[in-house]
Each structure stands twice: as structure tokens, then as C-alpha cells.
Amino acid sequence: MGTDRYAAMFARLAARDELAFVPFFVLGDPSMDESLALISAAVEAGADGLELGLPFSDPIADGPAVQSAVTRALDAGTRISACWPLLRAVRDAHPTVPIGLLVYANLIVHAGVEAFAAQCATAGVDSVVIPDAPSLEQRWFAEAFARAGVALARILPPGAAASRVAEVARASAGYVYVTSRGGVTGADDTVQADSASVVAALRAAGAAPALLGFGIAQPSHVRAARAMGVSGAISGSAVVSRIGAHETAPARREAVTAFVREMKAATRP
Amino acid sequence: MIQSAYYGRFGGSFVPEILVPALESLEAEFLAAQADPTFGAELETLLSTYAGRATPLYQCRHLGTETGSRLWFKREDLLHGGAHKTNQALGQGLLARRLGKTRLIAETGAGQHGVATALTGAVLGIPTRIYMGAADIERQQPNVQRMRLMGAEVVPVTQGGATLKAAINEALRDWSASYESTHYLLGTVAGPHPFPLIVREFQRVIGREARAQFLAATGRLPDVVVASVGGGSNAIGIFTDFIPDPSVELVGVEPAGEGLQTPRHGATLQRGRPGVLHGCFTQILQDDEGQVQESHSISAGLDYPGVGPEHAYLQETGRARYVGCTDADAMAAFSLVARSEGIIPALESAHAVAGALELARSSARPLDILVNLSGRGDKDLATVLRYQAEGGNGGH
Ligand SMILES: Cc1ncc(COP(=O)(O)O)c(C=O)c1O
């Protein structure tokens, strides 16, 4: 079941009063050859879970850093068909690490929802989050992913209405992706929105544990996340901009390792 | 949402969750405005005293006469701003004011929607920012200058193909951070619900007028109504009031660019596959894995790999059909209209004229063909002159 690895991860971390640290990568960034090595470097440096994005031509929920990562991946010739074996390789290398797949709706619709969900299961993906499928459009996807045993994670923005929080709590599986800012993904100087009330409402409604994302770029943000009561933090733009900033594969690997270590350290009490 | 977001299986609201409340309040305000006579009266006054409605219906004196058919132009090129875009920009501008928004953003391809939004911002006193692909900025300079003269900020977008698709991405990103203060004045019948509905309702004035004018002039209805299709707003605008008339054929003309057998075109309905782009499920040009492709047309306003969901529906039900017109045929029609009628049409509209001429030439009987002359071509002079100078290759 797609929620088992998340449940095990959250239980293990809760016992130590630690937050989860979940870095985000675009598959195929900067190239297919290097992707697995970078992702593995993050796990070896302490990443508890992974959020991996399929590169899509029109990432409307993403800011400049992730857009650049997507462009790097697509310009390097990354094919979706090649991302499935890559995902399987990540799964085989890290059998207990929860893997979330971030994918824009068109890539799913194009493949066919049933076929796509089945492929996620085969590749060992635990959860899928669709940034351009809000509550209103979840019905397109929910059944097929449930049948395939892949959790459909949901995104909840700051200031979400109580009715939406309740609905997301009810439907949530694996984790709930609580965003810490309005707008699109990006690396911020400070955590912009206080999501404590959304997180409390989720918990009261019995939702899956919350991960805070969008803008998380520094150890202090992880501590702010803890203060909001979430169970972990997702960091995307800060990871992929490090990949973009270095010229050689060893330098990229080193930068990712150092960043994940630093962020993971901040998850400890 | 109160209204259905779907046209058959097409449509929907595929946006980040954070934008849903903005779409819901926009829909509610639009429905309230439609029921409010003071809103209708203010829009009416702006359209007549400011924008110059009603636009004339003109029977061509020379164009196509050799075919035995009669061509009629609905003269949206005479509308203030130079294209049909003004109809709905003013409507959405008034909606934005009702919603208490203090900033307008818009995307633009040809620059016509940018101009319409800029003039709306000026006349309603609302600061305006326009996202425009860098490639389009280059080929539509006069419109960039016009937007800036009217006080709008024009922001170049360099991602992707640096055309309309990238500009919409950027406007959506802006809106997801700014929706509390900002109205996204989307320029066509695409995007998430309720935009296709709102834009159609503000554009259907074209067909409402044209139908009455045609009846008054001839005592009957036209045989065919023809319009160019980029996102589809001028086409929906003229089609909608004819949809219940079974004798009236509806034909949309898509940009066939360098030919439908090449990858360089923007014929979404003829060569696309169903998918999700910019907030709706519709036909889109995409590769074998679902990556959205760059379209091509010599006409910046038609250079878009998606299309409004209602067109996908009208095509699927067979109520409308969609044909292509190449860059070369559009250029030929452009010149023909200029010489034979003394009208310089927008390159977008020249596609519709070319489609109409093709219908006239291939028809066994004389037809009355109503063409939406959606805009004027002053903005396109540089493109046309370059095309002619290069002997027929003026695309980007
Ligand atoms: C004159 C004119 N006609 C047609 C179009 C195409 O848009 P739509 O298909 O929404 O009418 C444009 C777009 O810029 C335009 O400027």
C-alpha cells in the first residue's frame, strides 16, 4: 500500500521527536545519467523521504528555480519513458524511503490515468501529487490511484477554507502537502505564511501527517516548520538551484550532500 | 462552482488549489453582474460611447464575387483598440472593479489583448501589467508601444518558445501569488472555468449584432459563418447566437503555418490530442509523451498549442468544423483584402478570409458567407513587409 512507507517513516521519526526532511528533484536534472547519483547522495546524507518530479513543459505551479531544473532535464533529452526505470532504480537502491511523485495533470491524462497509476505501482512510487488538480478535479484521478495502491497526496495552501481543510483531511493519504506561501515554488529568506492553524485543523480532523513545502530553503525554516506543528519539510527550489549552480558532477553531488546534511540536522530537537 | 465547468467532456478548472477561491469568487461575481441591470448598462455605455459598438456589417464589393458567392465582413477591426478583444476586456475590467481588485494582469500574443487590457486599465483607472513573449514583442512592436503609451507595464517572457503559451504560464504564476488584489484578465475562451464562460458571454455581442444585421440586410440567415481560431474568442463570439440555427454552418479556421503535414503549425483542433493545458481539458498539440509543443503561425494571435474547450466540444458534436489556412494563404488573403476592399485586416482575420474564399471557390452553389473580421492589420505591417521581402518566409 502506498501509505505504508510514509507511516513507518513518520512513526520512526516521531519516536525520536524528529521532523522528516524531504528534498525534491526533477527526474533527469541535469541529465539522466546523473539523476540517480544525486538522489542517492541526498538519501545517504540523511533525507527521510523523496519528492521527485516528472519534467513537464508547462509547470505553472513552479517558480524560476524549478522551471530551470525542468528545462535542464528536458534539454538533456529526458523522456518520461526513461523516468520509470529511473524511479525503479531509486526504489531498489532505497527500499524503505517513501517516494512521492510530483506530476502535472497532462502527463497523467496523456498516458491514461489507469495506465499511469499502474506504472507508479510498478516503479515503487508510494504517492502522487498533482499540482494542477485541485479538489474540484480529483475525481478524475482518485479511483485509479486507489485501485493501484498508490496514495494521492493533496496540496493545501495557507488560509484554506475550513470546508476544504476538512475535505482534504478526509481524502488524505500518505501525507498532506501544506504550502508555506502563496504563489509558486521558490526559495525564500523567511517562511512567509503561518500554517499553524491549517496544521492544527488537519490534525483535529484526523488527516495524514503534514509536510510543509514551498520556500523552505534554510535550516531556520525547518525549525519554523516544527513550530507550526508539521511532521516534516519539503525543500525543492533550494535543492535544484544547487544543481544548477555547479559546473561538474562531483561539485553538484557535494553541494546536494552538504545541503541535505545541514537541513536534516535542523530536523532534530 | 455554481455553473458547470464542462462542455461535454472538455473544460474544468485544472489550477493549483490556491487559485480555486479566486475562480469561485470570480464566477459568483460574474453571475451577480449578469443579473444586475446597472452592470449591463455601464458596459453598454462603454461599448457604444467609448469603444464604438455596434460595429458595421459590410458586404464586400469585389472580394470573391468571381465565385458567385457573397462575402460579408463583421467589422470588429473598427472597434476601439483595433480588435474584438476590447469587448470582453471592458467587461472583465468592470467585473474586476466590482470584485474590488486594484491591479490587472493579462497575457498577450499579438498584443491586441494587451492593448485591450491596457485601454481598459486606463479608462477604469486600474494599474495594469501585461506578460508578453519576447518573440511576440519583437514581431508586434506597434502594439507594445501602444500598451506602454496607455500606461501599462509590458513584461517580456523568455521561457519556452517566448510566445503566448509562456506568457499565460507567467500570468498564472503571478496570479497565484497576487489574486487577493489582482484580477487576471484572461484574453480568450480558454483557461480554467469560469473564463471560457465569461469571455464567451462578453464576446457574443458580435454574433448577436451580426445576426440581426444580416437579417435586416437580406431577410435571411447566412449559409456559413467563418472565424479564425487562436484560443477561440472571436469565433465563439460570432458563433454563439447562430448555434441554434441548424441551417447555418459554422467554420473555424486554424493556422496551418507551414502546412499541416509539417510540425510547424498551430492547428490544435485538427492535429491535437485531448489533454490539460492552462487550466482546462481540451485539445492540445503535444508530443508522444504529453509534453506540450510549441506551435507556429505567422500570426502571433493564432500561435497557441491549446484552444478553448467549447471549440473542442463543438468539433466533437459536429456543430462546428475546423479547417486550416497556411501562412502563405493568409498572406495572399491579406493582400487581396487590402487591394480589393481597401481594408487592411489583421493576419489572424486574414486566415478567416482565406477560409471563406476557399469555401466560396469550392461550393457548387452561391453562398452567403459571414466572416468575422476580428481586427485590423496595422500591427502586422512589419511582418508582412518582411515576409514579402524574404519571398515568403516571414515566420519566426
Ligand atoms: C485580431 C485578432 N483576431 C483573432 C485573434 C485570436 O484570438 P481568438 O481566437 O481568441 O479570437 C487575435 C488574438 O490576438 C487577434 O488579435
Side-chain angles (χ1 to χ4, degrees), chain B residues 82-85 108-113 187-189 228-235 300-302 346 348-349 374-376 379:
Chain B
H84 68 291
K85 302 281 181 185
T108 196
Q112 287 303 132
H113 177 59
T188 189
V189 285
S228 66
V229 179
S233 68
N234 88 89
L302 303 180
E348 292 80 12
S349 318
S374 55
R376 64 185 155 101
K379 67 184 176 62

Side-chain angles (χ1 to χ4, degrees), chain B residues 254-268 270-271 322-326:
Chain B
E254 294 192 301
E258 294 174 8
L260 293 184
Q261 74 286 0
T262 77
R264 288 179 55 80
H265 60 76
T268 310
Q270 296 165 82
R271 287 290 182 275
Y322 297 84
V323 300
C325 160
T326 61

Side-chain angles (χ1 to χ4, degrees), chain A residues 74-90:
Chain A
L74 291 176
D75 285 354
T78 300
R79 302 261 308 160
I80 302 302
S81 55
C83 291
W84 297 112
L86 174 58
L87 281 163
R88 187 66 235 181
V90 174

